[in-house]
Amino acid sequence: MVGMAGLEGVEQPRQRGSATAARWVPAADDERALEALEFFGNPTEDEVRLPSRPESAATARRLTQCVVLRQWALGPQIAEHAILLVSELVGNAVRHTGARVFGLRMLRRRGWIRIEVRDPSRGLPCLMPVQEMDTSGRGLFLVDKLSDRWGVDLQPRGKTTWFEMRVSDR
């Protein structure tokens, strides 16, 4: 699982006067995000399959950044939380399932976004109590605190772990 320190390269909001700009601002990582989108596919159109390796968390973050900021034009705080939470779900899939690949999908409907990570394991993730000095085990705690809803759907072959966040539609 990756915490806030794993968000290197994520575009930070630019300040204009006292207001934060909520539009996409090109960054060094922008090109890499677009390359990931081109290479792996768009997770809003179909499930994207990623190899179950630690490096895939960075790919999932880039795809989330590209979709949430560019395609959906949502604000930087929503993007920051979505990027962190997708990284946590991917970290769990890579670390705990023994899968060779996992799926990533992003959905948007009126007032909500939903991000899903599908893997072939039917083992359920467990939300553990977190203590201040804990160095691991905070992933689902963050998902629980930063998302509006989250859950796990068992499939005939595996499971889908998801989170949803409220967004304002313009």
Side-chain angles (χ1 to χ4, degrees), residues 110-159:
R110 187 178 181 106
W112 292 91
I113 63 169
R114 178 179 174 115
I115 298 181
E116 303 175 341
V117 174
R118 188 180 60 80
D119 66 68
S121 169
R122 290 180 55 86
L124 296 175
C126 185
L127 178 60
M128 304 292 288
V130 175
Q131 302 300 318
E132 186 176 334
M133 298 305 288
D134 289 347
T135 58
S136 65
R138 294 177 182 263
L140 286 179
F141 175 79
L142 290 171
V143 172
D144 188 58
K145 293 300 177 197
L146 296 177
S147 69
D148 290 292
R149 302 190 282 232
W150 72 276
V152 180
D153 298 330
L154 286 175
Q155 309 296 328
R157 293 186 177 178
K159 69 178 172 300

mmCIF file of all heavy atoms in Angstrom, residues 110-159:
data_model
loop_
_atom_site.group_PDB
_atom_site.id
_atom_site.type_symbol
_atom_site.label_atom_id
_atom_site.label_comp_id
_atom_site.label_asym_id
_atom_site.label_seq_id
_atom_site.Cartn_x
_atom_site.Cartn_y
_atom_site.Cartn_z
ATOM 1 N N ARG A 110 -24.330 10.523 -12.267
ATOM 2 C CA ARG A 110 -24.725 11.799 -11.694
ATOM 3 C C ARG A 110 -24.412 11.875 -10.197
ATOM 4 O O ARG A 110 -24.961 11.139 -9.394
ATOM 5 C CB ARG A 110 -26.206 12.027 -11.943
ATOM 6 C CG ARG A 110 -26.668 13.379 -11.534
ATOM 7 C CD ARG A 110 -28.142 13.573 -11.850
ATOM 8 N NE ARG A 110 -28.523 14.892 -11.462
ATOM 9 C CZ ARG A 110 -28.742 15.882 -12.318
ATOM 10 N NH1 ARG A 110 -28.653 15.659 -13.599
ATOM 11 N NH2 ARG A 110 -29.075 17.072 -11.879
ATOM 12 N N GLY A 111 -23.497 12.774 -9.846
ATOM 13 C CA GLY A 111 -23.175 13.027 -8.452
ATOM 14 C C GLY A 111 -22.165 12.077 -7.817
ATOM 15 O O GLY A 111 -21.840 12.237 -6.655
ATOM 16 N N TRP A 112 -21.665 11.077 -8.561
ATOM 17 C CA TRP A 112 -20.773 10.079 -7.986
ATOM 18 C C TRP A 112 -19.691 9.656 -8.969
ATOM 19 O O TRP A 112 -19.920 9.644 -10.175
ATOM 20 C CB TRP A 112 -21.550 8.812 -7.625
ATOM 21 C CG TRP A 112 -22.509 8.993 -6.507
ATOM 22 C CD1 TRP A 112 -23.828 9.349 -6.610
ATOM 23 C CD2 TRP A 112 -22.250 8.839 -5.121
ATOM 24 N NE1 TRP A 112 -24.399 9.426 -5.366
ATOM 25 C CE2 TRP A 112 -23.439 9.104 -4.434
ATOM 26 C CE3 TRP A 112 -21.115 8.483 -4.389
ATOM 27 C CZ2 TRP A 112 -23.534 9.039 -3.049
ATOM 28 C CZ3 TRP A 112 -21.215 8.411 -3.009
ATOM 29 C CH2 TRP A 112 -22.413 8.693 -2.363
ATOM 30 N N ILE A 113 -18.547 9.278 -8.429
ATOM 31 C CA ILE A 113 -17.572 8.508 -9.198
ATOM 32 C C ILE A 113 -17.349 7.203 -8.438
ATOM 33 O O ILE A 113 -17.508 7.144 -7.207
ATOM 34 C CB ILE A 113 -16.228 9.241 -9.416
ATOM 35 C CG1 ILE A 113 -15.504 9.523 -8.104
ATOM 36 C CG2 ILE A 113 -16.441 10.508 -10.227
ATOM 37 C CD1 ILE A 113 -14.065 9.991 -8.278
ATOM 38 N N ARG A 114 -17.016 6.175 -9.186
ATOM 39 C CA ARG A 114 -16.762 4.852 -8.600
ATOM 40 C C ARG A 114 -15.504 4.291 -9.248
ATOM 41 O O ARG A 114 -15.379 4.320 -10.480
ATOM 42 C CB ARG A 114 -17.940 3.924 -8.850
ATOM 43 C CG ARG A 114 -17.749 2.515 -8.321
ATOM 44 C CD ARG A 114 -18.995 1.700 -8.623
ATOM 45 N NE ARG A 114 -18.840 0.312 -8.279
ATOM 46 C CZ ARG A 114 -19.529 -0.316 -7.336
ATOM 47 N NH1 ARG A 114 -20.431 0.346 -6.625
ATOM 48 N NH2 ARG A 114 -19.345 -1.593 -7.105
ATOM 49 N N ILE A 115 -14.592 3.799 -8.428
ATOM 50 C CA ILE A 115 -13.370 3.186 -8.927
ATOM 51 C C ILE A 115 -13.318 1.774 -8.377
ATOM 52 O O ILE A 115 -13.516 1.556 -7.172
ATOM 53 C CB ILE A 115 -12.128 4.011 -8.542
ATOM 54 C CG1 ILE A 115 -12.242 5.398 -9.188
ATOM 55 C CG2 ILE A 115 -10.850 3.282 -8.964
ATOM 56 C CD1 ILE A 115 -11.094 6.332 -8.927
ATOM 57 N N GLU A 116 -13.073 0.820 -9.281
ATOM 58 C CA GLU A 116 -13.102 -0.593 -8.939
ATOM 59 C C GLU A 116 -11.767 -1.259 -9.270
ATOM 60 O O GLU A 116 -11.170 -0.969 -10.303
ATOM 61 C CB GLU A 116 -14.182 -1.324 -9.738
ATOM 62 C CG GLU A 116 -15.567 -0.767 -9.579
ATOM 63 C CD GLU A 116 -16.592 -1.440 -10.476
ATOM 64 O OE1 GLU A 116 -16.204 -2.093 -11.477
ATOM 65 O OE2 GLU A 116 -17.795 -1.303 -10.172
ATOM 66 N N VAL A 117 -11.343 -2.171 -8.405
ATOM 67 C CA VAL A 117 -10.185 -3.023 -8.654
ATOM 68 C C VAL A 117 -10.672 -4.456 -8.525
ATOM 69 O O VAL A 117 -11.200 -4.853 -7.484
ATOM 70 C CB VAL A 117 -9.031 -2.727 -7.668
ATOM 71 C CG1 VAL A 117 -7.907 -3.730 -7.844
ATOM 72 C CG2 VAL A 117 -8.515 -1.304 -7.869
ATOM 73 N N ARG A 118 -10.530 -5.220 -9.609
ATOM 74 C CA ARG A 118 -10.998 -6.613 -9.641
ATOM 75 C C ARG A 118 -9.798 -7.544 -9.648
ATOM 76 O O ARG A 118 -8.837 -7.324 -10.395
ATOM 77 C CB ARG A 118 -11.867 -6.855 -10.873
ATOM 78 C CG ARG A 118 -12.537 -8.226 -10.867
ATOM 79 C CD ARG A 118 -13.392 -8.432 -12.099
ATOM 80 N NE ARG A 118 -12.626 -8.334 -13.326
ATOM 81 C CZ ARG A 118 -11.873 -9.317 -13.823
ATOM 82 N NH1 ARG A 118 -11.763 -10.464 -13.197
ATOM 83 N NH2 ARG A 118 -11.226 -9.146 -14.959
ATOM 84 N N ASP A 119 -9.862 -8.584 -8.813
ATOM 85 C CA ASP A 119 -8.786 -9.575 -8.783
ATOM 86 C C ASP A 119 -9.399 -10.968 -8.655
ATOM 87 O O ASP A 119 -10.575 -11.102 -8.326
ATOM 88 C CB ASP A 119 -7.804 -9.270 -7.634
ATOM 89 C CG ASP A 119 -8.426 -9.417 -6.271
ATOM 90 O OD1 ASP A 119 -8.763 -10.568 -5.881
ATOM 91 O OD2 ASP A 119 -8.591 -8.404 -5.580
ATOM 92 N N PRO A 120 -8.626 -12.024 -8.932
ATOM 93 C CA PRO A 120 -9.182 -13.385 -8.938
ATOM 94 C C PRO A 120 -9.310 -14.033 -7.559
ATOM 95 O O PRO A 120 -9.805 -15.152 -7.454
ATOM 96 C CB PRO A 120 -8.187 -14.160 -9.807
ATOM 97 C CG PRO A 120 -6.904 -13.449 -9.638
ATOM 98 C CD PRO A 120 -7.270 -11.993 -9.468
ATOM 99 N N SER A 121 -8.916 -13.367 -6.503
ATOM 100 C CA SER A 121 -9.005 -13.936 -5.161
ATOM 101 C C SER A 121 -10.389 -13.687 -4.569
ATOM 102 O O SER A 121 -10.959 -12.617 -4.734
ATOM 103 C CB SER A 121 -7.946 -13.295 -4.250
ATOM 104 O OG SER A 121 -8.178 -13.647 -2.909
ATOM 105 N N ARG A 122 -10.897 -14.665 -3.848
ATOM 106 C CA ARG A 122 -12.171 -14.468 -3.138
ATOM 107 C C ARG A 122 -11.929 -14.143 -1.668
ATOM 108 O O ARG A 122 -12.871 -14.032 -0.893
ATOM 109 C CB ARG A 122 -13.066 -15.689 -3.308
ATOM 110 C CG ARG A 122 -13.573 -15.784 -4.751
ATOM 111 C CD ARG A 122 -14.471 -16.973 -4.986
ATOM 112 N NE ARG A 122 -15.613 -17.070 -4.117
ATOM 113 C CZ ARG A 122 -16.800 -16.487 -4.301
ATOM 114 N NH1 ARG A 122 -16.979 -15.710 -5.338
ATOM 115 N NH2 ARG A 122 -17.793 -16.677 -3.454
ATOM 116 N N GLY A 123 -10.673 -13.951 -1.298
ATOM 117 C CA GLY A 123 -10.356 -13.534 0.070
ATOM 118 C C GLY A 123 -10.789 -12.099 0.292
ATOM 119 O O GLY A 123 -10.465 -11.216 -0.491
ATOM 120 N N LEU A 124 -11.527 -11.872 1.353
ATOM 121 C CA LEU A 124 -12.079 -10.544 1.610
ATOM 122 C C LEU A 124 -11.075 -9.654 2.345
ATOM 123 O O LEU A 124 -10.410 -10.113 3.272
ATOM 124 C CB LEU A 124 -13.355 -10.647 2.431
ATOM 125 C CG LEU A 124 -14.512 -11.375 1.761
ATOM 126 C CD1 LEU A 124 -15.673 -11.523 2.723
ATOM 127 C CD2 LEU A 124 -14.934 -10.646 0.500
ATOM 128 N N PRO A 125 -10.992 -8.395 1.944
ATOM 129 C CA PRO A 125 -10.139 -7.470 2.691
ATOM 130 C C PRO A 125 -10.764 -7.185 4.051
ATOM 131 O O PRO A 125 -11.979 -7.276 4.217
ATOM 132 C CB PRO A 125 -10.118 -6.208 1.822
ATOM 133 C CG PRO A 125 -11.350 -6.290 0.985
ATOM 134 C CD PRO A 125 -11.661 -7.753 0.823
ATOM 135 N N CYS A 126 -9.934 -6.850 5.001
ATOM 136 C CA CYS A 126 -10.411 -6.643 6.366
ATOM 137 C C CYS A 126 -10.004 -5.260 6.859
ATOM 138 O O CYS A 126 -8.828 -4.910 6.833
ATOM 139 C CB CYS A 126 -9.821 -7.723 7.265
ATOM 140 S SG CYS A 126 -10.429 -7.666 8.943
ATOM 141 N N LEU A 127 -10.976 -4.490 7.298
ATOM 142 C CA LEU A 127 -10.713 -3.176 7.876
ATOM 143 C C LEU A 127 -10.257 -3.385 9.310
ATOM 144 O O LEU A 127 -11.001 -3.869 10.155
ATOM 145 C CB LEU A 127 -11.979 -2.311 7.836
ATOM 146 C CG LEU A 127 -11.897 -0.929 8.448
ATOM 147 C CD1 LEU A 127 -10.840 -0.085 7.736
ATOM 148 C CD2 LEU A 127 -13.262 -0.237 8.366
ATOM 149 N N MET A 128 -9.003 -3.038 9.553
ATOM 150 C CA MET A 128 -8.400 -3.254 10.865
ATOM 151 C C MET A 128 -8.351 -1.947 11.639
ATOM 152 O O MET A 128 -8.213 -0.882 11.044
ATOM 153 C CB MET A 128 -6.970 -3.787 10.708
ATOM 154 C CG MET A 128 -6.855 -5.060 9.894
ATOM 155 S SD MET A 128 -7.591 -6.459 10.705
ATOM 156 C CE MET A 128 -6.402 -6.726 11.996
ATOM 157 N N PRO A 129 -8.416 -2.029 12.978
ATOM 158 C CA PRO A 129 -8.208 -0.813 13.765
ATOM 159 C C PRO A 129 -6.774 -0.321 13.547
ATOM 160 O O PRO A 129 -5.849 -1.117 13.414
ATOM 161 C CB PRO A 129 -8.417 -1.254 15.208
ATOM 162 C CG PRO A 129 -8.727 -2.702 15.185
ATOM 163 C CD PRO A 129 -8.660 -3.195 13.789
ATOM 164 N N VAL A 130 -6.599 0.970 13.504
ATOM 165 C CA VAL A 130 -5.290 1.562 13.231
ATOM 166 C C VAL A 130 -4.833 2.339 14.459
ATOM 167 O O VAL A 130 -5.595 3.122 15.016
ATOM 168 C CB VAL A 130 -5.363 2.489 11.999
ATOM 169 C CG1 VAL A 130 -4.052 3.194 11.767
ATOM 170 C CG2 VAL A 130 -5.766 1.697 10.767
ATOM 171 N N GLN A 131 -3.591 2.120 14.827
ATOM 172 C CA GLN A 131 -2.978 2.854 15.931
ATOM 173 C C GLN A 131 -2.032 3.902 15.361
ATOM 174 O O GLN A 131 -1.537 3.761 14.233
ATOM 175 C CB GLN A 131 -2.198 1.899 16.844
ATOM 176 C CG GLN A 131 -3.043 0.771 17.423
ATOM 177 C CD GLN A 131 -4.204 1.270 18.256
ATOM 178 O OE1 GLN A 131 -4.049 2.209 19.028
ATOM 179 N NE2 GLN A 131 -5.370 0.658 18.098
ATOM 180 N N GLU A 132 -1.771 4.931 16.113
ATOM 181 C CA GLU A 132 -0.957 6.051 15.652
ATOM 182 C C GLU A 132 0.415 5.628 15.144
ATOM 183 O O GLU A 132 0.912 6.161 14.165
ATOM 184 C CB GLU A 132 -0.800 7.067 16.787
ATOM 185 C CG GLU A 132 -0.102 8.333 16.360
ATOM 186 C CD GLU A 132 -0.042 9.352 17.483
ATOM 187 O OE1 GLU A 132 -0.911 9.319 18.369
ATOM 188 O OE2 GLU A 132 0.867 10.182 17.455
ATOM 189 N N MET A 133 1.039 4.658 15.769
ATOM 190 C CA MET A 133 2.400 4.263 15.411
ATOM 191 C C MET A 133 2.460 3.133 14.384
ATOM 192 O O MET A 133 3.536 2.677 14.026
ATOM 193 C CB MET A 133 3.185 3.863 16.670
ATOM 194 C CG MET A 133 3.341 5.006 17.673
ATOM 195 S SD MET A 133 4.095 6.492 16.981
ATOM 196 C CE MET A 133 5.763 5.929 16.806
ATOM 197 N N ASP A 134 1.325 2.664 13.889
ATOM 198 C CA ASP A 134 1.320 1.587 12.895
ATOM 199 C C ASP A 134 2.030 2.039 11.628
ATOM 200 O O ASP A 134 1.836 3.163 11.147
ATOM 201 C CB ASP A 134 -0.117 1.172 12.549
ATOM 202 C CG ASP A 134 -0.791 0.422 13.680
ATOM 203 O OD1 ASP A 134 -0.094 0.014 14.625
ATOM 204 O OD2 ASP A 134 -2.026 0.253 13.610
ATOM 205 N N THR A 135 2.840 1.139 11.070
ATOM 206 C CA THR A 135 3.562 1.462 9.836
ATOM 207 C C THR A 135 2.942 0.792 8.615
ATOM 208 O O THR A 135 3.343 1.069 7.494
ATOM 209 C CB THR A 135 5.040 1.034 9.942
ATOM 210 O OG1 THR A 135 5.089 -0.369 10.211
ATOM 211 C CG2 THR A 135 5.741 1.818 11.042
ATOM 212 N N SER A 136 1.963 -0.075 8.809
ATOM 213 C CA SER A 136 1.252 -0.694 7.693
ATOM 214 C C SER A 136 -0.179 -0.972 8.133
ATOM 215 O O SER A 136 -0.530 -0.777 9.296
ATOM 216 C CB SER A 136 1.951 -1.989 7.267
ATOM 217 O OG SER A 136 1.881 -2.934 8.302
ATOM 218 N N GLY A 137 -0.990 -1.418 7.192
ATOM 219 C CA GLY A 137 -2.364 -1.746 7.518
ATOM 220 C C GLY A 137 -3.323 -0.569 7.506
ATOM 221 O O GLY A 137 -4.446 -0.674 7.979
ATOM 222 N N ARG A 138 -2.891 0.549 6.936
ATOM 223 C CA ARG A 138 -3.739 1.745 6.921
ATOM 224 C C ARG A 138 -4.564 1.896 5.639
ATOM 225 O O ARG A 138 -5.356 2.810 5.526
ATOM 226 C CB ARG A 138 -2.879 3.001 7.089
ATOM 227 C CG ARG A 138 -2.206 3.101 8.429
ATOM 228 C CD ARG A 138 -1.328 4.343 8.476
ATOM 229 N NE ARG A 138 -0.634 4.451 9.733
ATOM 230 C CZ ARG A 138 -1.044 5.195 10.754
ATOM 231 N NH1 ARG A 138 -2.141 5.893 10.658
ATOM 232 N NH2 ARG A 138 -0.354 5.236 11.863
ATOM 233 N N GLY A 139 -4.368 1.018 4.677
ATOM 234 C CA GLY A 139 -5.015 1.167 3.371
ATOM 235 C C GLY A 139 -6.519 1.267 3.423
ATOM 236 O O GLY A 139 -7.112 2.242 2.966
ATOM 237 N N LEU A 140 -7.169 0.249 3.964
ATOM 238 C CA LEU A 140 -8.636 0.279 4.028
ATOM 239 C C LEU A 140 -9.135 1.328 5.005
ATOM 240 O O LEU A 140 -10.230 1.865 4.830
ATOM 241 C CB LEU A 140 -9.196 -1.099 4.380
ATOM 242 C CG LEU A 140 -9.148 -2.118 3.252
ATOM 243 C CD1 LEU A 140 -9.708 -3.450 3.724
ATOM 244 C CD2 LEU A 140 -9.889 -1.627 2.024
ATOM 245 N N PHE A 141 -8.337 1.638 6.016
ATOM 246 C CA PHE A 141 -8.690 2.720 6.928
ATOM 247 C C PHE A 141 -8.812 4.028 6.136
ATOM 248 O O PHE A 141 -9.769 4.777 6.300
ATOM 249 C CB PHE A 141 -7.628 2.841 8.032
ATOM 250 C CG PHE A 141 -7.851 4.016 8.946
ATOM 251 C CD1 PHE A 141 -8.790 3.950 9.962
ATOM 252 C CD2 PHE A 141 -7.132 5.185 8.783
ATOM 253 C CE1 PHE A 141 -9.004 5.031 10.811
ATOM 254 C CE2 PHE A 141 -7.327 6.271 9.621
ATOM 255 C CZ PHE A 141 -8.269 6.192 10.635
ATOM 256 N N LEU A 142 -7.835 4.296 5.250
ATOM 257 C CA LEU A 142 -7.895 5.502 4.408
ATOM 258 C C LEU A 142 -9.078 5.453 3.460
ATOM 259 O O LEU A 142 -9.769 6.455 3.262
ATOM 260 C CB LEU A 142 -6.592 5.667 3.621
ATOM 261 C CG LEU A 142 -5.374 6.055 4.437
ATOM 262 C CD1 LEU A 142 -4.113 5.975 3.582
ATOM 263 C CD2 LEU A 142 -5.540 7.437 5.036
ATOM 264 N N VAL A 143 -9.308 4.296 2.852
ATOM 265 C CA VAL A 143 -10.459 4.149 1.951
ATOM 266 C C VAL A 143 -11.743 4.446 2.704
ATOM 267 O O VAL A 143 -12.619 5.165 2.218
ATOM 268 C CB VAL A 143 -10.484 2.739 1.310
ATOM 269 C CG1 VAL A 143 -11.770 2.511 0.537
ATOM 270 C CG2 VAL A 143 -9.270 2.528 0.407
ATOM 271 N N ASP A 144 -11.848 3.920 3.919
ATOM 272 C CA ASP A 144 -13.042 4.130 4.733
ATOM 273 C C ASP A 144 -13.234 5.600 5.101
ATOM 274 O O ASP A 144 -14.351 6.113 5.125
ATOM 275 C CB ASP A 144 -12.944 3.265 5.996
ATOM 276 C CG ASP A 144 -14.213 3.278 6.807
ATOM 277 O OD1 ASP A 144 -15.277 2.906 6.271
ATOM 278 O OD2 ASP A 144 -14.148 3.661 7.995
ATOM 279 N N LYS A 145 -12.145 6.292 5.410
ATOM 280 C CA LYS A 145 -12.232 7.683 5.850
ATOM 281 C C LYS A 145 -12.400 8.679 4.705
ATOM 282 O O LYS A 145 -13.082 9.692 4.864
ATOM 283 C CB LYS A 145 -10.992 8.067 6.673
ATOM 284 C CG LYS A 145 -10.891 7.350 7.981
ATOM 285 C CD LYS A 145 -12.095 7.631 8.861
ATOM 286 C CE LYS A 145 -12.052 6.853 10.143
ATOM 287 N NZ LYS A 145 -13.329 6.781 10.821
ATOM 288 N N LEU A 146 -11.779 8.428 3.559
ATOM 289 C CA LEU A 146 -11.774 9.423 2.482
ATOM 290 C C LEU A 146 -12.847 9.205 1.418
ATOM 291 O O LEU A 146 -13.133 10.115 0.645
ATOM 292 C CB LEU A 146 -10.393 9.476 1.816
ATOM 293 C CG LEU A 146 -9.249 9.934 2.717
ATOM 294 C CD1 LEU A 146 -7.926 9.870 1.968
ATOM 295 C CD2 LEU A 146 -9.502 11.340 3.253
ATOM 296 N N SER A 147 -13.417 8.007 1.354
ATOM 297 C CA SER A 147 -14.481 7.771 0.377
ATOM 298 C C SER A 147 -15.825 7.933 1.069
ATOM 299 O O SER A 147 -15.919 7.920 2.297
ATOM 300 C CB SER A 147 -14.354 6.372 -0.231
ATOM 301 O OG SER A 147 -14.642 5.379 0.739
ATOM 302 N N ASP A 148 -16.865 8.082 0.273
ATOM 303 C CA ASP A 148 -18.210 8.166 0.841
ATOM 304 C C ASP A 148 -18.804 6.784 1.074
ATOM 305 O O ASP A 148 -19.606 6.593 1.984
ATOM 306 C CB ASP A 148 -19.113 8.992 -0.073
ATOM 307 C CG ASP A 148 -18.721 10.450 -0.051
ATOM 308 O OD1 ASP A 148 -18.904 11.086 1.004
ATOM 309 O OD2 ASP A 148 -18.197 10.953 -1.058
ATOM 310 N N ARG A 149 -18.414 5.843 0.217
ATOM 311 C CA ARG A 149 -18.853 4.448 0.354
ATOM 312 C C ARG A 149 -17.762 3.568 -0.218
ATOM 313 O O ARG A 149 -17.048 3.971 -1.132
ATOM 314 C CB ARG A 149 -20.120 4.167 -0.453
ATOM 315 C CG ARG A 149 -21.294 4.999 -0.126
ATOM 316 C CD ARG A 149 -22.536 4.467 -0.814
ATOM 317 N NE ARG A 149 -22.613 4.826 -2.218
ATOM 318 C CZ ARG A 149 -23.672 5.397 -2.782
ATOM 319 N NH1 ARG A 149 -24.719 5.692 -2.057
ATOM 320 N NH2 ARG A 149 -23.686 5.669 -4.055
ATOM 321 N N TRP A 150 -17.663 2.361 0.296
ATOM 322 C CA TRP A 150 -16.766 1.377 -0.294
ATOM 323 C C TRP A 150 -17.301 -0.004 0.029
ATOM 324 O O TRP A 150 -18.129 -0.174 0.923
ATOM 325 C CB TRP A 150 -15.321 1.552 0.183
ATOM 326 C CG TRP A 150 -15.059 1.151 1.609
ATOM 327 C CD1 TRP A 150 -15.252 1.919 2.725
ATOM 328 C CD2 TRP A 150 -14.582 -0.108 2.063
ATOM 329 N NE1 TRP A 150 -14.907 1.216 3.846
ATOM 330 C CE2 TRP A 150 -14.480 -0.044 3.468
ATOM 331 C CE3 TRP A 150 -14.204 -1.291 1.424
ATOM 332 C CZ2 TRP A 150 -14.046 -1.115 4.234
ATOM 333 C CZ3 TRP A 150 -13.756 -2.354 2.191
ATOM 334 C CH2 TRP A 150 -13.681 -2.257 3.577
ATOM 335 N N GLY A 151 -16.830 -0.984 -0.706
ATOM 336 C CA GLY A 151 -17.281 -2.342 -0.450
ATOM 337 C C GLY A 151 -16.565 -3.343 -1.324
ATOM 338 O O GLY A 151 -15.652 -3.009 -2.081
ATOM 339 N N VAL A 152 -17.031 -4.587 -1.209
ATOM 340 C CA VAL A 152 -16.471 -5.693 -1.972
ATOM 341 C C VAL A 152 -17.631 -6.486 -2.545
ATOM 342 O O VAL A 152 -18.571 -6.829 -1.824
ATOM 343 C CB VAL A 152 -15.610 -6.613 -1.079
ATOM 344 C CG1 VAL A 152 -15.030 -7.767 -1.887
ATOM 345 C CG2 VAL A 152 -14.508 -5.827 -0.390
ATOM 346 N N ASP A 153 -17.578 -6.758 -3.832
ATOM 347 C CA ASP A 153 -18.569 -7.604 -4.492
ATOM 348 C C ASP A 153 -17.890 -8.906 -4.884
ATOM 349 O O ASP A 153 -16.916 -8.890 -5.652
ATOM 350 C CB ASP A 153 -19.133 -6.925 -5.746
ATOM 351 C CG ASP A 153 -19.865 -5.628 -5.430
ATOM 352 O OD1 ASP A 153 -20.429 -5.513 -4.324
ATOM 353 O OD2 ASP A 153 -19.876 -4.734 -6.301
ATOM 354 N N LEU A 154 -18.373 -10.036 -4.336
ATOM 355 C CA LEU A 154 -17.826 -11.324 -4.724
ATOM 356 C C LEU A 154 -18.344 -11.691 -6.110
ATOM 357 O O LEU A 154 -19.524 -11.492 -6.418
ATOM 358 C CB LEU A 154 -18.208 -12.399 -3.711
ATOM 359 C CG LEU A 154 -17.465 -12.331 -2.379
ATOM 360 C CD1 LEU A 154 -18.014 -13.371 -1.411
ATOM 361 C CD2 LEU A 154 -15.974 -12.526 -2.583
ATOM 362 N N GLN A 155 -17.458 -12.208 -6.932
ATOM 363 C CA GLN A 155 -17.775 -12.643 -8.286
ATOM 364 C C GLN A 155 -17.607 -14.166 -8.347
ATOM 365 O O GLN A 155 -16.986 -14.746 -7.453
ATOM 366 C CB GLN A 155 -16.825 -11.979 -9.292
ATOM 367 C CG GLN A 155 -16.707 -10.474 -9.172
ATOM 368 C CD GLN A 155 -18.013 -9.752 -9.459
ATOM 369 O OE1 GLN A 155 -18.808 -10.206 -10.266
ATOM 370 N NE2 GLN A 155 -18.243 -8.643 -8.780
ATOM 371 N N PRO A 156 -18.120 -14.813 -9.391
ATOM 372 C CA PRO A 156 -17.899 -16.264 -9.494
ATOM 373 C C PRO A 156 -16.409 -16.637 -9.447
ATOM 374 O O PRO A 156 -16.046 -17.666 -8.906
ATOM 375 C CB PRO A 156 -18.510 -16.618 -10.850
ATOM 376 C CG PRO A 156 -19.534 -15.553 -11.083
ATOM 377 C CD PRO A 156 -18.972 -14.312 -10.452
ATOM 378 N N ARG A 157 -15.571 -15.776 -9.989
ATOM 379 C CA ARG A 157 -14.126 -16.011 -9.957
ATOM 380 C C ARG A 157 -13.422 -14.757 -9.457
ATOM 381 O O ARG A 157 -12.894 -13.979 -10.244
ATOM 382 C CB ARG A 157 -13.613 -16.361 -11.349
ATOM 383 C CG ARG A 157 -14.128 -17.669 -11.834
ATOM 384 C CD ARG A 157 -13.495 -18.051 -13.117
ATOM 385 N NE ARG A 157 -13.967 -19.352 -13.513
ATOM 386 C CZ ARG A 157 -13.636 -19.943 -14.605
ATOM 387 N NH1 ARG A 157 -12.803 -19.355 -15.437
ATOM 388 N NH2 ARG A 157 -14.109 -21.123 -14.898
ATOM 389 N N GLY A 158 -13.444 -14.553 -8.181
ATOM 390 C CA GLY A 158 -12.730 -13.416 -7.613
ATOM 391 C C GLY A 158 -13.658 -12.418 -6.944
ATOM 392 O O GLY A 158 -14.765 -12.743 -6.527
ATOM 393 N N LYS A 159 -13.162 -11.181 -6.900
ATOM 394 C CA LYS A 159 -13.932 -10.125 -6.235
ATOM 395 C C LYS A 159 -13.608 -8.783 -6.868
ATOM 396 O O LYS A 159 -12.591 -8.616 -7.537
ATOM 397 C CB LYS A 159 -13.597 -10.082 -4.744
ATOM 398 C CG LYS A 159 -12.186 -9.594 -4.450
ATOM 399 C CD LYS A 159 -11.945 -9.523 -2.958
ATOM 400 C CE LYS A 159 -10.496 -9.226 -2.625
ATOM 401 N NZ LYS A 159 -9.520 -10.179 -3.088
#
